[in-house]
Amino acid sequence: MKISYNWLKQFLQLDWEAEKTGELLTDLGLEVEGISNFESVKGGLNGIVVGHVLTCIKHPNADRLKLTTVDIGLENPVQIVCGAPNVAAGQKVPVATIGTTLYTNGNEAWQIKKGKIRGEESHGMICAEDELGLGDDHDGILVLNETLKPGTPCSAIFEIENDKVFEIGLTPNRSDAMSHFGVARDLKAGLEQKEITKELITPSTSTFSIDNRSLKIDVEVEDNELAPRYCGVTISNILVQESPTWLKNRLKSIGLSPINNVVDITNYVLHDLGQPLHAFDATKIKGNKVVVKTLPKGTKFVTLDDVERELHEEDLMICDSDKPMCIAGVFGGKNSGVTNDTTSIFLESAYFDAVSIRKTAKRHGLNTDASFRFERGININTVEYALKRAALLIKEVAGGEITSDIVDLYPKKKDDFQVFLTFEKIYKLIGQEIPKDTIKSILTSLEIKVNNVTESGLGLTIPSYRTDVQREVDVIEEILRVYGYNNIDYKEKFTASVARTSKFENHKLQNMVGDLLASRGFFEIMTNSLVPINSNKNLANNNTNVEMLNPLSTDLAVLRESMLFSGLTAIAHNQNRRKQNLKLFEFGKTYLKQGDNYKENTHLSLLVAGNQFENSWTVPSVPSGFYYIKGVSQAVLNRIGVSGYKQVETNQEFLAEGISFEKDGKTLLSLGVVDKTFANTLGVKSEVLFADFNWDTLRSLAAKNTIVYEEIPKFPEVNRDFALLLDEKIPFKELYDIAFKTERNLLKNVNLFDVYTGKNLPEGKKSYAISFTLLDSSKTLTDKQIDKIMSKLQKAYVEQLGAELR
């Protein structure tokens, strides 16, 4: 938000340097991000003086040039070669002296130097209007008033304004400071804490009066919730033309382009007082009636930018008896605005519901100065005052008469907030005692009314325009920012206690798992929980979307039901930038609507695409496969101490093939290959492996674990192998389970290291090569013990699976 220092001084007579004022504004919470210079004429006409043309003759060596002598207030006149057709002796003209910098088209700088033109010396330049930046005329030199004295600086003749402009990073809660008046009000409070008393000058509207009642326009508001207050008045016999210089300079200083005197006044009052206004051409209001209402969905409406928009049934519109004229609080219509032919206007000043305006602005992709303020909440009590202020200014710059009573529809008065503030709470939050008189003076300077004072605290009335101050802590924040954060003492020594926390705290477990995954080449991602409205349709069996009441856009309309959509979006983003080998993990939440209830779950997701390793001459390219993601997933479970789970088929629709791990009837995770059709819809060009951990369930299981420490065995392990011929339908898991049921004490591990099917094997058979690891932690195993165990295992496989030893 741009704030002009000269404009600010209209409310607060202050002679501080801009940098010092900017520091105070920042201390008050209105952070000044930068201070820039504004010149209504670039260069400020520095070096341009009034010259008196004494003589003017034809240049001896050029037909179209003149040779002049000009008195510019020096001891001797100077000679200047001029090519303007209208230059003549006796004129008073603007002269750019030697060393003066002029700006072509307002930007490109060039310096006036002494030189020779066709053999004759020239000591300056007689300027045209456009060369000075005062207009667009270049037909000839600018001829000044005859009474001016030679040598007078032109900056003293023309309305040249030099200004400092503050760029304020306004936080969304500070709707009260969205104007020059609001910033001045805050600045006054800050100055009072420095014992500098300044009067806040409020523009007077005491001269407002009704000239006649010749143009009455009726107003009807159909929904007082959407438009709690609506004011309007008519002004007739106006002359729409270019704005006066002072008004154009005010708008230009904050980056606005002047349009015409009527529209410029509405923009001026908006940035002056923070109240948006809109002027309608009264002759275009059919039936002399304004109706504030919503229209049926799909109604077409052409806005000022010549775009035809399709209205939503919740868009609040300003209409006449036949048609819509304006999107309330957002954007005007093409066929109802003020033009150069306008002679009478209906001037609107209103308070619209903030949520309604924000939804409408977002739906239509519009962001205007008016919607910016309505969305955050304006001061409902200045609606009529701003209308009067604008009407008086329009009469001043455009003439005309007030030709109707003010219509003010305000059926339900908005009450101020009531808050009780305790001194104990102030001292507790701030950390030190502030004198009670100082507290009361700060509150008074912020227009917060102190109703009563007790030993324990203050009864306060908060003005309605402070929508961000409704609680006791909000008032304390106001006191602190005005008192000054820099004025709060702090101790050189800080005392802190170390909290005893469990190793199973969520952040500790996440860090532990994150370190494990990072060591395996995974990168952590953080994606948005908000996704497009159609993204969940393939991830859920019914309508369980948690929709945003006020979405920023259709791409951020609902909360995700699965981590997969945002993960695949990240995969596609990287693949489009030629990054094919990806290992990603993310901790995040999913959201479901179940009837009238909402459910929020925490997940850990893994996504793998491409090869396990980047291409290298030392490492062969190995595609990431199902067993890779399964192995990483099991490593995660082992790291947090979850065991004893079983493997079952998964029912996840978005997985083309996959499995789930369960324990005690709870699903720990699902993993597998993402359905190719679904992945392709998001632009993913390769196979993607996905693992989805139910993190809340894993945390609860991890917390139940008891850590058992045991001594590292002193005796050696023994490995023995079997090559078994089996039915091809028998999975390795059955062999694994049978082995541990057969030998519980000395068997430590069973590993499948080779599978063979095909030639030289009976039909329907396969060969498994299995390794068994045996260990006795108290002694060295003998051959006799080992042979006995292996015989038991062989017998179990033969009897239970019909296996043959090869």
Side-chain angles (χ1 to χ4, degrees):
M1 181 181 71
K2 295 182 183 295
I3 293 293
S4 157
Y5 199 18
N6 289 347
W7 196 338
L8 201 62
K9 290 176 181 177
Q10 292 181 187
F11 297 104
L12 212 58
Q13 296 297 324
L14 191 63
D15 56 3
W16 277 12
E17 293 181 355
E19 289 72 17
K20 189 175 180 181
T21 302
E23 290 175 2
L24 179 55
L25 288 173
T26 298
D27 289 343
L28 289 167
L30 302 177
E31 183 179 359
V32 175
E33 297 175 341
I35 302 175
S36 58
N37 295 316
F38 169 76
E39 296 172 326
S40 58
V41 174
K42 191 152 180 101
L45 297 185
N46 292 328
I48 314 294
V49 299
V50 175
H52 181 203
V53 182
L54 301 176
T55 65
C56 180
I57 62 174
K58 181 178 176 296
H59 192 291
N61 302 316
D63 293 336
R64 296 185 179 183
L65 298 179
K66 304 285 181 66
L67 196 62
T68 67
T69 55
V70 184
D71 178 9
I72 58 172
L74 301 177
E75 185 176 347
N76 297 312
V78 297
Q79 178 174 285
I80 299 176
V81 176
C82 180
N86 65 327
V87 64
Q91 292 175 334
K92 297 291 176 64
V93 295
V95 176
T97 57
I98 300 298
T100 299
T101 300
L102 296 179
Y103 295 88
T104 303
N105 299 323
N107 292 307
E108 186 177 342
W110 56 286
Q111 194 175 54
I112 302 297
K113 298 178 181 179
K114 177 183 175 181
K116 281 189 177 183
I117 302 177
R118 293 292 183 94
E120 296 292 337
E121 290 188 356
S122 183
H123 298 264
M125 175 179 171
I126 303 175
C127 300
E129 184 180 274
D130 67 329
E131 292 166 336
L132 298 176
L134 296 174
D136 299 322
D137 188 5
H138 192 69
D139 291 338
I141 60 168
L142 178 64
V143 180
L144 305 176
N145 192 296
E146 294 180 357
T147 61
L148 294 173
K149 182 180 178 181
T152 303
C154 285
S155 59
I157 301 171
F158 299 98
E159 295 181 59
I160 306 301
E161 183 161 352
N162 296 309
D163 197 1
K164 297 285 187 180
V165 180
F166 302 109
E167 183 67 45
I168 295 179
L170 191 68
T171 52
N173 63 310
R174 292 303 309 276
S175 60
D176 62 298
M178 295 185 298
S179 65
H180 285 78
F181 180 75
V183 173
R185 182 171 50 203
D186 240 29
L187 190 57
K188 176 180 179 293
L191 289 170
E192 288 185 3
Q193 292 310 302
K194 296 182 177 293
E195 299 182 351
I196 301 173
T197 302
K198 292 289 182 179
E199 180 186 359
L200 187 63
I201 303 169
T202 305
S204 174
T205 58
S206 60
T207 58
F208 180 88
S209 62
I210 301 167
D211 298 306
N212 59 69
R213 294 177 173 82
S214 60
L215 181 57
K216 180 184 178 184
I217 292 182
D218 297 321
V219 177
E220 179 185 344
V221 177
E222 293 190 357
D223 191 337
N224 291 320
E225 294 297 323
L226 298 181
R229 188 174 190 182
Y230 191 93
C231 293
V233 71
T234 63
I235 308 173
S236 301
N237 300 322
I238 62 172
L239 177 61
V240 178
Q241 57 186 353
E242 186 179 347
S243 294
T245 302
W246 71 265
L247 179 54
K248 290 191 290 185
N249 287 343
R250 284 286 176 264
L251 297 180
K252 287 179 180 178
S253 69
I254 57 173
L256 298 181
S257 299
I259 300 172
N260 60 54
N261 49 4
V262 174
V263 174
D264 290 349
I265 286 297
T266 61
N267 287 332
Y268 175 82
V269 173
L270 180 146
H271 291 276
D272 191 55
L273 301 174
Q275 172 64 49
L277 302 114
H278 191 75
F280 298 91
D281 189 326
T283 61
K284 298 176 182 177
I285 301 177
K286 301 299 182 183
N288 279 359
K289 185 175 184 179
V290 169
V291 183
V292 184
K293 62 181 180 179
T294 55
L295 294 174
K297 183 177 182 179
T299 302
K300 307 294 185 182
F301 179 67
V302 180
T303 46
L304 277 173
D305 55 358
D306 209 26
V307 174
E308 184 179 73
R309 303 180 187 276
E310 191 172 295
L311 301 179
H312 188 271
E313 67 268 20
E314 294 180 0
D315 292 338
L316 187 65
M317 303 295 296
I318 310 299
C319 309
D320 60 18
S321 58
D322 293 340
K323 64 184 183 307
M325 300 187 296
C326 174
I327 302 177
V330 180
F331 211 32
K334 181 181 179 182
N335 300 317
S336 63
V338 174
T339 66
N340 291 338
D341 298 325
T342 299
T343 58
S344 59
I345 62 170
F346 174 75
L347 187 62
E348 166 198 279
S349 179
Y351 179 97
F352 298 118
D353 177 68
V355 174
S356 171
I357 297 300
R358 179 169 176 80
K359 286 183 176 180
T360 296
K362 293 301 179 185
R363 271 194 293 266
H364 296 289
L366 295 169
N367 183 22
T368 62
D369 286 336
S371 67
F372 177 84
R373 284 156 179 80
F374 280 126
E375 288 173 13
R376 287 156 177 78
I378 62 172
N379 184 2
I380 197 170
N381 293 320
T382 62
V383 170
E384 184 184 18
Y385 168 71
L387 182 70
K388 290 180 177 179
R389 168 82 168 137
L392 290 173
L393 288 171
I394 288 173
K395 286 185 65 177
E396 177 185 327
V397 302
E401 304 168 318
I402 307 294
T403 51
S404 74
D405 292 310
I406 289 180
V407 176
D408 187 4
L409 302 182
Y410 189 16
K412 187 177 180 180
K413 305 296 181 184
K414 188 173 182 179
D415 297 328
D416 293 336
F417 306 114
Q418 303 294 323
V419 173
F420 186 78
L421 177 65
T422 60
F423 295 121
E424 181 183 0
K425 187 76 168 180
I426 297 172
Y427 306 148
K428 182 179 180 181
L429 288 184
I430 293 179
Q432 74 179 52
E433 290 194 15
I434 297 176
K436 294 180 181 179
D437 289 340
T438 301
I439 292 172
K440 287 188 284 186
S441 68
I442 290 174
L443 294 173
T444 302
S445 69
L446 293 170
E447 299 184 3
I448 296 175
K449 184 180 179 182
V450 180
N451 298 320
N452 55 75
V453 182
T454 67
E455 286 296 322
S456 60
L458 306 170
L460 306 174
T461 298
I462 313 297
S464 59
Y465 65 83
R466 289 308 305 268
T467 56
D468 62 320
V469 182
Q470 300 185 23
R471 304 168 299 168
E472 186 179 13
V473 291
D474 297 330
V475 179
I476 295 172
E477 182 183 5
E478 291 296 295
I479 294 169
L480 182 55
R481 73 177 181 86
V482 176
Y483 181 74
Y485 292 97
N486 295 333
N487 294 323
I488 301 299
D489 296 329
Y490 61 90
K491 298 178 182 179
E492 293 184 1
K493 178 183 178 182
F494 287 94
T495 303
S497 58
V498 178
R500 183 180 181 275
T501 59
S502 167
K503 67 172 291 183
F504 300 109
E505 290 287 332
N506 185 41
H507 70 280
K508 290 186 177 181
L509 282 177
Q510 288 193 13
N511 288 340
M512 184 168 64
V513 171
D515 290 342
L516 169 69
L517 293 170
S519 70
R520 291 175 174 247
F522 279 76
F523 290 89
E524 185 172 11
I525 60 173
M526 297 178 68
T527 59
N528 203 330
S529 295
L530 293 169
V531 294
I533 197 164
N534 295 324
S535 64
N536 291 332
K537 65 181 181 180
N538 294 325
L539 306 177
N541 295 322
N542 45 46
N543 186 21
T544 55
N545 283 347
V546 180
E547 298 184 7
M548 302 297 293
L549 294 177
N550 189 19
L552 294 173
S553 69
T554 55
D555 288 337
L556 302 171
V558 298
L559 289 167
R560 63 186 174 196
E561 292 187 22
S562 169
M563 303 286 289
L564 181 57
F565 179 88
S566 49
L568 288 177
T569 303
I571 292 280
H573 179 85
N574 281 276
Q575 287 184 341
N576 289 336
R577 287 153 182 81
R578 305 182 64 84
K579 185 71 174 175
Q580 304 301 324
N581 302 326
L582 298 166
K583 300 177 187 177
L584 308 175
F585 75 95
E586 179 180 13
F587 290 97
K589 293 187 176 182
T590 60
Y591 309 85
L592 290 172
K593 182 180 179 183
Q594 298 178 329
D596 294 331
N597 299 318
Y598 294 90
K599 190 175 181 181
E600 180 178 308
N601 297 315
T602 306
H603 291 256
L604 164 64
S605 64
L606 309 181
L607 293 113
V608 178
N611 296 328
Q612 291 186 29
F613 308 102
E614 294 294 336
N615 293 336
S616 170
W617 67 276
T618 60
V619 180
S621 296
V622 179
S624 301
F626 175 84
Y627 289 104
Y628 174 74
I629 192 76
K630 179 182 178 183
V632 173
S633 300
Q634 289 178 315
V636 170
L637 296 178
N638 294 338
R639 185 67 183 90
I640 60 177
V642 175
S643 59
Y645 47 83
K646 63 180 181 179
Q647 177 180 311
V648 298
E649 292 186 6
T650 185
N651 58 359
Q652 299 289 351
E653 294 182 3
F654 51 83
L655 295 180
E657 53 181 295
I659 58 173
S660 293
F661 291 165
E662 292 184 355
K663 183 175 181 177
D664 300 331
K666 297 179 180 179
T667 300
L668 306 183
L669 73 130
S670 299
L671 63 91
V673 180
V674 177
D675 181 81
K676 188 175 182 180
T677 303
F678 176 64
N680 288 343
T681 61
L682 298 175
V684 177
K685 304 170 184 176
S686 64
E687 182 181 81
V688 177
L689 305 165
F690 177 64
D692 183 23
F693 294 77
N694 294 318
W695 187 251
D696 293 323
T697 302
L698 293 179
R699 279 185 58 204
S700 63
L701 292 174
K704 297 176 182 178
N705 287 338
T706 301
I707 299 175
V708 178
Y709 297 91
E710 59 182 33
E711 187 178 354
I712 297 175
K714 299 178 181 179
F715 302 97
E717 293 180 344
V718 176
N719 290 315
R720 290 289 187 271
D721 299 339
F722 272 164
L724 299 174
L725 188 65
L726 300 160
D727 190 290
E728 64 179 2
K729 294 182 180 181
I730 297 174
F732 169 70
K733 189 174 184 302
E734 287 192 35
L735 284 82
Y736 184 91
D737 292 340
I738 290 172
F740 279 100
K741 288 179 182 178
T742 305
E743 176 54 51
R744 299 176 183 274
N745 297 323
L746 302 181
L747 182 63
K748 302 302 179 185
N749 189 34
V750 179
N751 181 48
L752 176 65
F753 64 88
D754 185 50
V755 178
Y756 176 74
T757 58
K759 189 177 180 180
N760 299 326
L761 290 184
E763 184 177 353
K765 297 290 184 177
K766 63 182 175 182
S767 175
Y768 271 178
I770 303 174
S771 171
F772 302 90
T773 302
L774 306 175
L775 173 68
D776 189 336
S777 59
S778 61
K779 59 184 179 180
T780 300
L781 289 171
T782 63
D783 289 339
K784 185 176 181 180
Q785 288 176 296
I786 296 169
D787 292 340
K788 182 178 180 181
I789 293 172
M790 297 307 294
S791 296
K792 287 169 55 180
L793 291 172
Q794 180 183 350
K795 183 179 179 181
Y797 287 146
V798 170
E799 293 178 353
Q800 298 182 40
L801 301 177
E804 298 179 28
L805 192 65
R806 295 185 68 196

